[in-house]
Amino acid sequence: MIRPSLPENWEELIAGYTLDDLDPEEAEIVERLLNENPDLRGEVKQLQEVLDLLPYGLPQQEPPAHLRAAILDAVQEGDRPARPHRRARRRIWLEMGGAVAAFLAIALGLDNYRLRQDLESADAVIQALRQPETEVYALEGTGETTAASGRLVVNPNQDQILVTVQNLPEPSAGQAYRLWGLTPGSTEPIYYGQFGTTAQGETLAQLSIPRDAIPTEEIQLLITLESSTAPPIPEGPLVMQSSL
Amino acid sequence: MHPDSPKPEPFASDQTDTDLFLALKAGRVEALSDLYDRYSNLVYGLALRVLSNSEEAEDVTQEIFLALWHKDNYNPTRGSLSSFLVTMTRSRSIDRLRSRNTKLKFLQRWKRISTAEEISANPLEQVSINERSQLIREALARLPDSERQVLEIAYFEGLSQSEIAQRLGIPLGTVKTRTRQGLLKLKQHLRDFIQ
């Protein structure tokens, strides 16, 4: 392809961008090239597609036969699949009205006796769910904490968000879980706040955050385990993230 | 295809991935079993390549297919199902690999986590999985060994270029040149299949 306005090594730079191996100087050049030539994003996309074909080149590996049975058994025994369209589902909740909000709090995982005693927090959930603008995001465990699950309840018109989590081990003394948001294309995470969990691995935390930093669907949410007194820079292991 | 594993061509069924996914979301277990038959080799093979441990690769495979059933995490308008499965499997497997070594610098992961959100299209969507495998193997075989090696380490093991340089005992600049050239040549070799 002839692109007279681009530096001679533009293809290499775009390949390096896709591979995430640019040094800071090159990264600056690529950011500028992408801004000036938006069609270059198509080149990035193609290279990413090529990379994602690499697994097809691996030798054929059949998983053991018992795995198929285990997976199919697990779903036959259990519940219905998750329905698509998170927004539509939320609207149904809202139509059900505030009287059902207490039930919803339980559905969100607040069925722990101690947490139910925490009326203030439960009220906050009910209030949040009554707002038509409320969004609910799913969080899932990663790595060693795969069993963890949770929800983030966000009302874009308030400066508070609610985090509910289950099966996330209680942090040891001096440690806390921290919630971060990462906007697409950024490597600078936004720090939302920290919380602990109970010995049962649960929490209902209310975090105050600046209104201009409210999570949206585009933001990847991440939870890490950190020292509770460390400056707000993520250094510890990733324990949960928003569902892809 | 491996000579020891004669398997019916997975595309014998004329249902598209999207048909099957929608049937799955309607609660049809057969749709999940069809998708499993279509993609379990790809998912398991990728997890095994990253983790080099069959038990962990089984765990990841199970997680991926159960997540497809239980979670609302794939949107057919955002990319192909096969690319979604590849992206999820790679990112979960590399997460596990990294959780074995918590010393790794956290910030290095941010970008990868955020790019893992992007699901690419699959330019080979229209050809069968066996044909895809054959095309990729032929294209990879045409790369110089030195370029293929670094490209595969970077993709399957999620190592940074300096970690690769350290492991192979070659200069960082050489690693970068080889990986980038390898990727560009691979794209060139597959150009007839990429829009």
Side-chain angles (χ1 to χ4, degrees):
Chain A
M1 206 178 304
I2 301 160
R3 291 173 176 273
S5 62
L6 297 179
E8 207 175 296
N9 63 342
W10 71 270
E11 279 189 294
E12 263 203 49
L13 288 172
I14 293 294
Y17 178 83
T18 312
L19 290 158
D20 193 15
D21 72 6
L22 298 175
D23 62 41
E25 203 176 303
E26 289 174 325
E28 215 169 284
I29 299 173
V30 171
E31 289 298 339
R32 187 169 49 78
L33 289 178
L34 289 173
N35 282 333
E36 290 168 3
N37 307 273
D39 60 313
L40 280 184
R41 296 198 182 272
E43 301 283 336
V44 174
K45 198 167 144 270
Q46 281 193 346
L47 288 172
Q48 186 60 49
E49 287 170 11
V50 169
L51 269 179
D52 284 333
L53 290 171
L54 282 177
Y56 289 97
L58 292 170
Q60 282 273 332
Q61 292 281 356
E62 263 188 71
H66 67 83
L67 188 62
R68 187 180 194 278
I71 290 171
L72 295 177
D73 283 354
V75 305
Q76 262 154 353
E77 276 168 20
D79 23 19
R80 305 273 302 164
R83 310 289 304 182
H85 311 306
R86 187 172 46 204
R87 282 163 190 278
R89 194 174 44 185
R90 178 177 52 80
R91 194 147 298 123
I92 294 164
W93 295 358
L94 294 165
E95 281 162 10
M96 290 192 297
V100 199
F103 166 76
L104 292 172
I106 294 167
L108 280 166
L110 313 178
D111 54 344
N112 172 279
Y113 177 75
R114 229 183 59 158
L115 289 175
R116 257 187 279 167
Q117 303 307 299
D118 192 346
L119 289 175
E120 200 181 319
S121 297
D123 268 353
V125 175
I126 292 163
Q127 289 308 322
L129 286 169
R130 276 185 178 147
Q131 307 300 315
E133 302 83 9
T134 299
E135 291 286 353
V136 180
Y137 300 100
L139 298 165
E140 59 185 25
T142 66
E144 284 169 15
T145 46
T146 308
S149 64
R151 295 279 187 278
L152 197 70
V153 182
V154 177
N155 182 336
N157 299 323
Q158 290 177 344
D159 46 10
Q160 288 190 325
I161 53 177
L162 294 158
V163 190
T164 75
V165 163
Q166 298 87 45
N167 297 324
L168 189 63
E170 187 179 17
S172 43
Q175 288 197 307
Y177 293 110
R178 286 183 168 183
L179 175 70
W180 313 86
L182 192 65
T183 43
S186 163
T187 52
E188 290 292 319
I190 307 161
Y191 174 55
Y192 289 132
Q194 65 183 20
F195 58 90
T197 52
T198 63
Q200 290 76 35
E202 297 178 340
T203 198
L204 170 57
Q206 201 167 346
L207 305 175
S208 299
I209 54 173
R211 199 160 298 185
D212 59 1
I214 295 279
T216 63
E217 229 165 274
E218 287 71 43
I219 292 184
Q220 166 93 40
L221 300 162
L222 302 140
I223 295 175
T224 59
L225 179 62
E226 306 284 345
S227 155
S228 56
T229 52
I233 299 164
E235 284 179 332
L238 179 70
V239 295
M240 295 187 82
Q241 63 185 66
S242 45
S243 307
L244 279 181
Chain B
M1 194 188 302
H2 193 279
D4 296 332
S5 56
K7 238 198 136 187
E9 170 58 38
F11 265 45
S13 153
D14 57 1
Q15 288 200 288
T16 65
D17 287 355
T18 307
D19 289 342
L20 287 175
F21 177 74
L22 294 176
L24 179 153
K25 285 291 149 188
R28 285 181 48 203
V29 179
E30 322 85 79
L32 179 65
S33 77
D34 284 356
L35 284 172
Y36 182 88
D37 293 340
R38 205 171 272 188
Y39 288 116
S40 59
N41 286 7
L42 181 69
V43 167
Y44 178 74
L46 172 55
L48 191 61
R49 172 65 179 82
V50 173
L51 292 159
S52 310
N53 175 313
S54 57
E55 262 179 48
E56 283 194 276
E58 282 179 43
D59 287 350
V60 169
T61 307
Q62 181 154 4
E63 272 173 39
I64 296 293
F65 284 98
L66 288 183
L68 202 58
W69 178 270
H70 287 296
K71 293 186 179 170
D72 180 15
N73 58 357
Y74 167 63
N75 175 350
T77 62
R78 276 181 60 193
S80 72
L81 181 69
S82 55
S83 299
F84 172 74
L85 292 173
V86 163
T87 307
M88 285 278 281
T89 306
R90 176 172 176 262
S91 95
R92 290 204 176 201
S93 302
I94 289 178
D95 267 356
R96 274 180 180 247
L97 194 66
R98 294 216 176 106
S99 69
R100 290 183 196 158
N101 181 1
T102 51
K103 297 268 178 208
L104 279 169
K105 279 186 201 145
F106 190 89
L107 278 171
Q108 282 184 347
R109 299 206 297 241
W110 288 109
K111 179 135 187 226
R112 294 200 183 95
I113 291 164
S114 64
T115 51
E117 261 196 314
E118 304 285 330
I119 305 164
S120 56
N122 183 342
L124 301 182
E125 190 67 11
Q126 300 311 316
V127 304
S128 78
I129 295 171
N130 289 335
E131 284 173 280
R132 290 177 208 171
S133 296
Q134 202 177 338
L135 285 167
I136 304 307
R137 279 181 210 161
E138 282 166 10
L140 280 170
R142 289 170 65 191
L143 293 186
D145 285 345
S146 58
E147 292 176 8
R148 190 179 61 238
Q149 181 190 35
V150 286
L151 191 58
E152 289 183 343
I153 296 176
Y155 185 81
F156 292 120
E157 299 176 40
L159 294 188
S160 70
Q161 307 291 314
S162 44
E163 287 164 332
I164 298 175
Q166 213 168 7
R167 184 200 286 187
L168 300 178
I170 50 178
L172 177 61
T174 310
V175 174
K176 286 191 180 185
T177 310
R178 286 180 185 172
T179 328
R180 295 174 185 183
Q181 284 302 322
L183 177 58
L184 291 170
K185 284 180 196 165
L186 193 61
K187 179 188 153 198
Q188 184 66 13
H189 296 161
L190 292 166
R191 66 183 178 281
D192 292 345
F193 304 96
I194 296 171
Q195 298 83 356

